[in-house]
Each structure stands twice: as structure tokens, then as C-alpha cells.
Amino acid sequence: MELKTFCYIFARGGSKGIPKKNIKPLLNKPLITYSINVAKEISEIDKLFVSTDCNEIAKISKSKGAIIINRPQDISQDNSPEWFAWRHAINWTYERYGTFTKFLRLPATAPLRSKNDVIKCLNAI
């Protein structure tokens, strides 16, 4: 079996605290782009996906090179367990891209992580 690492960023448009926080500018760049850019620097990542219910997040993410997974509204609510979105994303990618060996989740709201941090985590698996 070929070893593949799929990276997932889960970014809802709705937020009670800060609406559309995932695309709010941080140092003149949308927040989500920090996670996308780190993922693109890591050669061990074979595919990069953004799961979202928001057209604006999808547009920005796609322009930065991510593959978009359109997340259904019923699993995009404040009280929706995140693993529902994970299950949806895994099924979606499996149907289109086949199996993978490593599932890497990069939170959109953690812009200070480095490439080396992620590589250390991947190597620890």
C-alpha cells in the first residue's frame, strides 16, 4: 500500500464570538492562509483539503491551493460535534482520492505553528 498523508483544515463560516474568524485578516492575510501555507511547505503532505460551509472561506482557500470539501449545514452548527465533519471529509476524500495512511488536522485558528512543529508530529505517528 502506498503511504499517503492527507491534511485537513476545518473552517466554519459561522461563529458566535467572531463571525467568519477564519478569514479575518492577521497581519494583512486571512487567518486560514497561515495553516494552508504551512501545509504546502511540507513535502510529506500529499493532499490538502479545507472543509467548510462558507463560500468566502472556500474561495480564499482554493486560491491558495487547497481542495475544497463543501460541508453540509447540518454538521456545521455551533453544537455539531467536529468528528461529524471529520467523518464527512474522510468519506468525501475516500470516494474521490482513495485511501490514505495519515490524517493530519491543522486548526485554522493556530497561525503560529511552524513547519517543523508539524513535521515532528507527523514523524511521531
Side-chain angles (χ1 to χ4, degrees):
M1 176 168 95
E2 180 185 356
L3 301 178
K4 291 193 273 187
T5 299
F6 286 179
C7 177
Y8 297 86
I9 300 169
F10 296 89
R12 292 185 316 113
S15 173
K16 287 183 179 174
I18 303 172
K20 298 194 180 177
K21 68 182 170 204
N22 293 306
I23 55 173
K24 293 284 186 195
L26 176 65
L27 299 175
N28 299 317
K29 292 189 327 189
L31 183 61
I32 195 167
T33 62
Y34 289 88
S35 293
I36 292 170
N37 290 343
V38 165
K40 287 173 47 181
E41 290 179 16
I42 300 169
S43 62
E44 290 89 344
I45 294 174
D46 296 289
K47 299 278 185 205
L48 168 61
F49 302 95
V50 170
S51 169
T52 188
D53 62 330
C54 175
N55 289 335
E56 290 176 85
I57 292 172
K59 182 179 177 182
I60 290 167
S61 300
K62 187 175 182 179
S63 76
K64 298 297 180 186
I67 300 165
I68 305 305
I69 300 171
N70 293 308
R71 191 183 329 168
Q73 289 298 316
D74 64 327
I75 59 171
S76 299
Q77 306 305 309
D78 280 338
N79 62 350
S80 299
E82 188 169 353
W83 75 268
F84 285 11
W86 292 13
R87 180 178 59 193
H88 173 263
I90 289 168
N91 289 335
W92 189 94
T93 55
Y94 180 75
E95 289 173 8
R96 288 158 182 83
Y97 298 96
T99 59
F100 57 92
T101 4
K102 291 181 184 177
F103 171 102
L104 173 65
R105 175 190 173 269
L106 293 180
T109 55
L112 300 180
R113 97 178 56 75
S114 73
K115 171 185 172 181
N116 289 335
D117 293 335
V118 178
I119 290 171
K120 284 178 186 176
C121 289
L122 285 171
N123 291 339
I125 297 175

